[in-house]
Amino acid sequence: MTSDDRPSRDGRSDPGEVAELVSLARTLYPHPGLPDAPYQRTVEQILARASVEPALWHLLRDGLTELRLASGAHLGEVPATDLHDLLTAREETRFFATLRDLVAWHLYDDHEVWAAVGYPGASFEHGGYRDRGFNDLAWLPEPRIEESDAPFVEIGSLTVTPENAAAQTRSNA
Amino acid sequence: MTRYELTDDDVALIIGSGPGGATLALQLVRQGKKVVMLEAGPWVSNEDFVNDERKAFDQLTWKDPRLATGTWSLASDFPGSPAWMGKVVGGTATFWTGLTPRFKAHEFRPRSVYGQVSDAALADWPIDLQELEPYYDASEIAMGTSHRHGRPPLPANNNYKVLANGAARLGYEHYATGPYATNVEPYDGRPGTLQDGFCQQGDKSRAKWSPLVSEIPKALATGLLELRTNSQAVQITLGTDGRADGVVYSDVDGVLHRQSARVVAMAGNAIETPRLLLTSATNGHPDGLANSSGQLGRNYMRHTTGVVYAEFPDEVHMYRGEPMAGIVNDESRHDPSRGFVGGYYMESIAQGLPSFSTFMTPHGWGPEFTSKIEAYTRTAGMWICGEDMPRETNRVTLSSSLKDHLGLPAPEVHYDDHPNDIAMRDHAYTQGEKLFRAVGAVRTTRAPGMPSGHNLGTARMSASSADGVVNSFGQAHDIPNLFISDGSIFTSGAAANPTLTIMALVLRQAEYLMEQARVGVL
């Protein structure tokens, strides 16, 4: 047995299958600027889970087999637009719903994806944003932060009339 | 920590350590009363909170089995998660956002002011704003709410700048960065905010008020509170006199114990409170404790909600700073000319990327979805928080099939959107979109409601014992030494975020309870 055809650590998936799932993951959540690595990690996490959840493993296996039959090819070689159409036609299946939710769950928790999108994650360790731009938006004027002293209409239309004007109760004790 | 004997029948036993339970505990121990508090979850210290949405969710959330049914979007989007609640010392307030508007006067009288609304169980509260005002003051002072009692306003973060400018351009007038229960500057032994976000992951800095950083340690310091963590109440027991005389609970190993008590207060949130009372059904209370009215579990409310996300050509970085430090009040009025009764607030909301990807378009996929993800740093968010209609058929019941880890029936939460809820949400989505378009949004997304943080109404307050579960003090009509100290007792939902009102009602309840004890009734 060579290293290339050795089953992966869960004993059930093979590299070809991983490549197919990566193609599906990218079709579900296409980010052209992202390399394969985050998709690969996403698929590995899904397969790790499937390795201890037989129902999930069966669901993925059966779904992949059906997709291969429908496309007549290894899914890694099917053009993205065709894969998209194949998935759209299966949007109501449990296979699709399960794969979609698992891919989204893991992909958007991947720090390489965060970095690509521009989400920095934890901030406390860096002192928060008090001195790092929590208020650095400059394309709009600085708004009022205090409450307005204008009368507040509690019942009726926004137009203030003597009948509907009820000064907002505010305690500044 | 103080230890009380399981047989000590002089203790007040409080179930739940959230804002309601913790506020009651602190008031009682300050008056010299002995208190045992049961908290189903663990103690998690601020330094152990994690600035990571998924890890924090796992650390703090009540994840026991539940089921959502009905026409609300949660039944299809997240059927196992009707609500997002804490299972941790401090309860759901451990990850609350912090806005503290008060109810308006007319929101205590919805039946009188809104009139007959078909298929809704509107009722007036047996209490009015004037009666509650001193307790609102005390609650705001306890929390250190911004904009109140000399506490400064929060500065504007980026998300607020978008919301407030949009509000102004739309002609709205009543917008501000609070009232918001997070310190701007040091107060009550806690620091000012670092603007570090991650409010909903526990707030490591302690700037945000929660019972974990205020009422609980203060109550423990008196030496009169015993807090039992990882202790889940499974039954309230009654004595031969029909009064509550103790609580059976499961400890961290699943071993059952029974604590005797003079008074029992239930503060487990509007799903677990009716669940425990239903589970505790016994001779004389076949439909659940304190349920002679048949109202227990009914009238479940969770606010009419939704989110408008708006994409801009320029950067926003909504995740920076306090996540909900912005509120627009103008639409919170009652104005039937809009096509619905009641009102709604428009509130800033910011989410990290993992939550944004889960809730922006639940189960979305494909290139349009990913283009919105890629616009994350140029996205602003606004949450809708409006009054929903109480309905007898919107209710918490015990599941006949789903069970928790103790083998007890899980709660099923059934909720059908009322036509008024739908009309209000549509109006709010439209106004939110207009607001953001007014400051240059190039694309907007209507996100549906998320698992409910505001859970209300399932043990409603009523003047007559025929109409509700508790009186205006949260005292069960049927069992005089059983109190309910959480949002379950709301007669209606109002538009306001509920925590401040829960605390105010419980402060009033505590005074009443002490007076009842003084005259020997309790």
Side-chain angles (χ1 to χ4, degrees):
Chain A
M1 199 185 225
T2 69
S3 62
D4 283 346
D5 60 17
R6 187 166 48 199
S8 62
R9 64 183 168 188
D10 62 23
R12 286 166 177 157
S13 58
D14 61 63
E17 198 169 80
V18 171
E20 289 185 297
L21 283 166
V22 166
S23 293
L24 290 178
R26 195 184 268 286
T27 305
L28 285 165
Y29 296 101
H31 292 283
L34 270 189
D36 270 346
Y39 292 106
Q40 188 99 24
R41 282 190 291 272
T42 294
V43 166
E44 281 166 7
Q45 288 180 84
I46 294 170
L47 289 173
R49 182 160 161 186
S51 74
V52 294
E53 286 182 30
L56 175 60
W57 184 78
H58 279 288
L59 187 68
L60 293 178
R61 256 300 159 79
D62 293 350
L64 284 174
T65 303
E66 193 275 327
L67 270 178
R68 270 182 221 125
L69 285 171
S71 67
H74 184 276
L75 298 177
E77 278 134 34
V78 179
T81 50
D82 294 354
L83 264 191
H84 186 274
D85 292 344
L86 283 166
L87 287 174
T88 302
R90 284 155 185 76
E91 227 177 328
E92 300 306 317
T93 66
R94 209 156 61 82
F95 163 72
F96 175 87
T98 304
L99 183 65
R100 173 200 60 201
D101 290 356
L102 284 171
V103 170
W105 185 260
H106 292 293
L107 185 68
Y108 295 119
D109 206 26
D110 187 290
H111 289 209
E112 189 174 346
V113 177
W114 291 6
V117 171
Y119 173 61
S123 88
F124 181 79
E125 293 79 354
H126 310 290
Y129 293 100
R130 190 175 55 194
D131 306 314
R132 293 194 308 133
F134 82 96
N135 59 353
D136 67 357
L137 187 150
W139 50 270
L140 285 168
E142 285 300 317
R144 167 168 56 77
I145 58 174
E146 293 273 14
E147 293 168 299
S148 169
D149 288 326
F152 183 79
V153 176
E154 294 192 348
I155 299 178
S157 71
L158 271 185
T159 313
V160 180
T161 65
E163 287 72 37
N164 66 17
Q168 193 168 18
T169 51
R170 201 188 316 163
S171 174
N172 293 310
Chain B
M1 185 165 59
T2 311
R3 303 271 171 210
Y4 296 112
E5 297 292 328
L6 289 172
T7 52
D8 188 340
D9 58 7
D10 192 39
V11 303
L13 200 158
I14 299 174
I15 301 165
S17 67
T23 295
L24 181 60
L26 180 58
Q27 295 306 307
L28 296 184
V29 296
R30 278 181 170 164
Q31 302 289 323
K33 296 292 174 188
K34 301 191 285 187
V35 176
V36 172
M37 175 179 276
L38 303 178
E39 165 53 52
W43 180 295
V44 180
S45 300
N46 293 72
E47 53 266 33
D48 294 328
F49 291 146
V50 191
N51 272 194
D52 180 295
E53 291 181 314
R54 297 275 167 76
K55 292 189 178 104
F57 181 89
D58 276 343
Q59 184 183 43
L60 307 174
T61 299
W62 188 289
K63 291 177 289 185
D64 295 11
R66 285 174 174 165
L67 188 64
T69 64
T71 63
W72 58 337
S73 56
L74 285 170
S76 50
D77 288 344
F78 305 102
S81 302
W84 185 22
M85 290 181 188
K87 192 173 189 176
V88 64
V89 173
T92 306
T94 304
F95 48 77
W96 78 314
T97 40
L99 278 172
T100 60
R102 296 183 178 191
F103 278 31
K104 303 183 204 315
H106 72 263
E107 289 176 318
F108 290 95
R109 300 167 49 241
R111 176 63 185 82
S112 300
V113 176
Y114 304 164
Q116 175 69 42
V117 176
S118 59
D119 292 325
L122 283 173
D124 291 346
W125 291 55
I127 180 179
D128 62 20
L129 177 62
Q130 201 178 356
E131 274 177 276
L132 209 55
E133 270 172 348
Y135 305 98
Y136 269 139
D137 284 338
S139 301
E140 288 160 354
I141 291 165
M143 292 181 181
T145 289
S146 75
H147 299 77
R148 298 285 182 269
H149 311 287
R151 311 310 312 153
L154 280 155
N157 65 23
N158 291 345
N159 208 21
Y160 175 76
K161 290 185 188 183
V162 179
L163 181 80
N165 276 288
R169 288 191 196 173
L170 216 55
Y172 290 147
E173 171 66 26
H174 295 277
Y175 54 85
T177 54
Y180 192 84
T182 289
N183 289 349
V184 179
E185 55 189 30
Y187 176 76
D188 198 24
R190 295 181 287 113
T193 177
L194 292 170
Q195 300 289 353
D196 47 345
F198 293 99
C199 243
Q200 298 203 282
Q201 288 68 40
D203 189 32
K204 291 175 77 71
S205 81
R206 301 169 71 249
K208 181 183 70 174
W209 172 88
S210 85
L212 178 70
V213 297
S214 183
E215 282 70 15
I216 299 281
K218 288 172 185 170
L220 287 171
T222 66
L224 287 168
L225 170 67
E226 181 185 351
L227 170 63
R228 297 185 193 154
T229 56
N230 299 299
S231 297
Q232 184 166 339
V234 299
Q235 187 187 23
I236 297 171
T237 58
L238 300 187
T240 49
D241 59 357
R243 290 176 162 236
D245 66 357
V247 172
V248 179
Y249 66 95
S250 164
D251 71 14
V252 69
D253 299 315
V255 178
L256 296 183
H257 307 273
R258 181 177 171 281
Q259 172 66 52
S260 296
R262 175 179 295 265
V263 176
V264 174
M266 185 67 228
N269 209 317
I271 294 178
E272 293 305 319
T273 288
R275 178 185 177 218
L276 183 66
L277 295 173
L278 289 166
T279 308
S280 300
T282 182
N283 287 344
H285 298 269
D287 302 319
L289 292 191
N291 194 21
S292 65
S293 66
Q295 292 295 311
L296 180 63
R298 296 185 185 273
N299 310 305
Y300 171 74
M301 296 171 288
R302 44 96 55 202
H303 277 141
T304 293
T305 71
V307 176
V308 177
Y309 286 111
E311 181 183 328
F312 293 88
D314 299 302
E315 299 288 314
V316 177
H317 300 286
M318 64 171 164
Y319 57 86
R320 296 179 187 170
E322 291 296 328
M324 204 170 256
I327 186 166
V328 182
N329 298 350
D330 296 73
E331 298 288 359
S332 69
R333 69 194 192 278
H334 167 59
D335 178 5
S337 72
R338 291 174 299 182
F340 54 89
V341 301
Y344 62 87
Y345 290 98
M346 305 161 104
E347 304 177 349
S348 286
I349 189 167
Q351 293 186 306
L353 185 64
S355 293
F356 181 68
S357 73
T358 301
F359 297 115
M360 175 259 291
T361 303
H363 313 299
W365 68 287
E368 188 186 352
F369 181 89
T370 51
S371 72
K372 291 178 179 177
I373 293 284
E374 296 197 353
Y376 172 74
T377 61
R378 293 181 283 109
T379 299
M382 184 210 84
W383 192 60
I384 299 158
C385 185
E387 177 165 8
D388 58 342
M389 290 296 104
R391 309 179 81 178
E392 290 206 342
T393 49
N394 287 349
R395 59 189 295 207
V396 175
T397 55
L398 301 177
S399 175
S400 55
S401 53
L402 200 62
K403 299 200 184 308
D404 72 5
H405 64 290
L406 299 169
L408 294 169
E412 288 189 10
V413 185
H414 183 90
Y415 188 96
D416 297 320
D417 285 320
H418 188 280
N420 197 77
D421 306 340
I422 295 168
M424 178 187 287
R425 186 162 48 235
D426 284 347
H427 189 273
Y429 276 141
T430 303
Q431 292 306 109
E433 288 164 350
K434 282 188 200 165
L435 182 153
F436 284 131
R437 296 272 176 191
V439 279
V442 292
R443 179 164 58 170
T444 56
T445 300
R446 295 181 175 195
M450 293 176 271
S452 317
H454 301 173
N455 297 280
L456 307 167
T458 51
R460 71 178 356 189
M461 188 185 277
S462 63
S464 159
S465 61
D467 302 330
V469 178
V470 298
N471 66 17
S472 79
F473 298 103
Q475 180 181 32
H477 287 302
D478 299 346
I479 303 172
N481 69 335
L482 174 64
F483 287 79
I484 301 180
S485 314
D486 60 27
S488 308
I489 64 178
F490 282 29
T491 309
S492 65
N497 306 54
T499 303
L500 183 78
T501 301
I502 292 172
M503 188 192 260
L505 289 169
V506 171
L507 286 173
R508 182 170 174 274
Q509 173 183 74
E511 267 186 22
Y512 170 80
L513 203 158
M514 288 305 303
E515 177 60 16
Q516 295 272 294
R518 195 185 64 78
V519 300
V521 180
L522 287 175

